[in-house]
Amino acid sequence: LELKEGLGSSLGKEICAFANASGGKIVLGVKDDGSIKGLVLSNSDKSKIQDIARNMNPLFKIDIEQIDDLAVIDIPNGINKPYSINGHFFLRIGTNSQQLSRDEIKEFFQDEGLVQFDEKLNKEFDINTDFNKSAYTNFLGRSKISKGLSTTKLLTNLGLIKSGRMTNT
């Protein structure tokens, strides 16, 4: 839950952070001391808020509800994580929305299962010394793949070599 007095420049960051966490609500019309100031959103205000969510990458859908003199933005748990806004990734950590560092972004991708072990480059593997030619020949025969292409080209076409390196596959 995030309480805000009104529309501010940090709204996109907050929406992004909640989407990358497990969702949440932003209540507009509440002062820092917790007292109710009230805020009735105009159609233009609602449109601006929706535009913020649609400009996230990937685009995101939120719900906006007016409850008496408070506006509530409902941010669901994002299903296409991670989300970014203006090229930055944010995550809700406790009561704060934090911009993720490079290493935190990498960890986030791994935690969300977006980096598959099989697809990672194996930097330890040396194709000249570690490659099992007998197993490769057996693979070609069993899969009925012709030997018309070079080994490197064929493995690249199969997605087993990326950026000149073998993957863990």
Side-chain angles (χ1 to χ4, degrees):
L1 183 66
E2 176 72 20
L3 306 175
K4 292 196 156 302
E5 194 167 333
L7 299 176
S9 61
S10 69
L11 194 57
K13 172 179 101 169
E14 303 296 343
I15 293 171
C16 182
F18 276 122
N20 281 329
S22 54
K25 295 186 185 303
I26 300 173
V27 180
L28 302 172
V30 180
K31 294 182 180 181
D32 287 341
D33 64 7
S35 63
I36 307 265
K37 172 187 175 186
L39 177 67
V40 177
L41 294 175
S42 67
N43 284 339
S44 175
D45 292 335
K46 290 177 185 175
S47 180
K48 286 177 190 174
I49 296 168
Q50 291 289 357
D51 283 345
I52 289 170
R54 280 193 299 269
N55 286 321
M56 287 173 42
N57 187 13
L59 66 89
F60 191 73
K61 187 176 181 324
I62 57 169
D63 290 314
I64 304 170
E65 186 178 2
Q66 189 72 49
I67 302 173
D68 297 325
D69 57 350
L70 295 176
V72 179
I73 304 169
D74 184 23
I75 301 112
N77 181 10
I79 57 171
N80 292 316
K81 297 175 187 176
Y83 294 91
S84 68
I85 188 153
N86 300 324
H88 300 286
F89 295 85
F90 296 92
L91 183 63
R92 190 72 180 189
I93 301 171
T95 59
N96 296 313
S97 296
Q98 301 290 320
Q99 183 174 343
L100 298 178
S101 69
R102 177 186 167 278
D103 289 340
E104 288 171 324
I105 292 169
K106 285 173 44 179
E107 186 177 321
F108 191 89
F109 271 80
Q110 290 172 342
D111 290 346
E112 290 297 317
L114 298 172
V115 177
Q116 302 295 324
F117 174 79
D118 292 359
E119 296 175 8
K120 290 172 108 179
L121 299 181
N122 186 327
K123 296 177 181 170
E124 306 288 320
F125 188 87
D126 181 342
I127 197 157
N128 297 317
T129 58
D130 298 329
F131 189 71
N132 185 326
K133 291 178 184 169
S134 173
Y136 176 71
T137 302
N138 184 34
F139 163 74
L140 290 178
R142 294 182 79 178
S143 59
K144 297 184 175 36
I145 296 174
S146 99
K147 297 180 184 177
L149 292 175
S150 71
T151 301
T152 303
K153 185 69 172 166
L154 181 64
L155 293 174
T156 300
N157 289 349
L158 291 172
L160 303 176
I161 292 181
K162 295 180 181 176
S163 302
R165 293 262 194 214
M166 287 291 291
T167 63
N168 286 326
T169 302

